[in-house]
Amino acid sequence: MDANTEWEPYRRELVVYCYRMLGSIHEAEDLTQETFLRAWKARDRYDERRASVRTWLYRIATNACLTALEGRARRPLPSGLGTASDDPDAPLVPDFEVPWLQPLPGRYLRPDDGDPQARATGRAGVRLAFVAATQLLPPRQRAVLVLRDVLQFSAAEVAGQLDTTTAAVNSSLQRARAALATASPREEDLREPSAGDVVERYVRAFEAADVATLVTLLTDDAVLEMPPVPLWYRGRVDYGRFMQRVFTLRPGMWRALPTTANGQPALAAYCPDGAGHRLHTLQIFTVTDAGIAHNVVFQDPAVFAAFELAPSL
């Protein structure tokens, strides 16, 4: 078995799987490389009669992730740590001691091409709200949920990957589903990145620092949060008050470059800086038929590097 030819086609989907488990793109890339290293060492023990190469690699990746998660704190977003603020002038002090949930660059997601496996390793199960919610699950429950509901492995396959029984897998899956029943928006309520008319209008209002127009594009209870700052706001009024503060602090025309993250529409925001513009934030939107329901605003150099964003325009 030649790892370069046999395993490399699975790299991207394994990175996405490890990301779903760990909530960190950097750790997901490292764990995928660890998976290949473990597979190379165990290559002589692989039996194609017992499992496909893909199933075997996922077993190794699952064990690597579970080992990495031992004793780890979950990766939250600010809204998972405390109540919303109503003070638009609250100090913006980043807390890099918290292992914040990271976003997933769009380059890791396959376009829908009719292949159920490709769709499973695409947008399903990578939305920020879903990944944040799964962080609340014990790691083995998280693995069962992702392997069964997202990646569509059979209960028997998952039992083999986790060295447990089919009954235990089914029981874990029921508990995980119950825990996440109300944790994230229903899929049918969400808008795809291609249906980005609301986001396009948001971008125009954002670039013009037009808060009055910007807030009309939000749902009534829209959430704005800003890791690594442990601060978040809920509702059009407080969202708008905070954005007015941002534009007052950095007056002038902003620039916003569209992108995608976690299968969701996103933008890279550049603030006025002398004669040009400097990278300010990466913003990821949850869009429903009622408007923009959630904006997670990252201002983290590690996230900027993962998305390969230009530092200035």
Side-chain angles (χ1 to χ4, degrees), residues 21 66 69-70 137-144:
M21 288 292 293
L66 292 176
L69 286 167
E70 289 178 0
L137 299 174
R140 286 178 69 86
Q141 266 190 38
R142 195 182 311 166
V144 168

Side-chain angles (χ1 to χ4, degrees), residues 250 254 269-273 276-281 299 310-313:
R250 301 200 178 276
W254 288 59
Y270 289 79
C271 64
D273 184 33
H277 290 80
R278 175 172 52 83
L279 180 59
H280 187 259
T281 52
Q299 194 172 36
S312 62
L313 298 179

Side-chain angles (χ1 to χ4, degrees), residues 57-68:
L57 288 173
Y58 270 95
R59 177 189 176 117
I60 297 171
T62 298
N63 287 327
C65 289
L66 292 176
T67 298

Side-chain angles (χ1 to χ4, degrees), residues 13 30 39 58 80-81 86 115 118 131 133 140 187-188 191 227 311:
E13 65 173 281
D30 290 344
Y58 270 95
L81 293 181
D86 59 2
D115 179 352
V131 178
R140 286 178 69 86
E187 194 71 21
E188 59 267 27
R191 299 276 294 276

Side-chain angles (χ1 to χ4, degrees), residues 214-243:
L214 187 149
V215 296
T216 67
L217 304 172
L218 308 174
T219 62
D220 291 339
D221 58 352
V223 168
L224 173 68
E225 51 189 327
M226 301 157 283
V229 175
L231 187 68
W232 65 287
Y233 297 94
R234 182 188 294 279
R236 282 183 177 143
V237 173
D238 286 338
Y239 192 123
R241 293 167 68 206
F242 179 80
M243 292 306 302

Side-chain angles (χ1 to χ4, degrees), residues 167-188:
V169 166
N170 290 334
S171 177
S172 290
L173 182 60
Q174 286 182 345
R175 292 197 300 272
R177 286 173 174 170
L180 299 188
T182 60
S184 57
R186 295 178 303 173
E187 194 71 21
E188 59 267 27

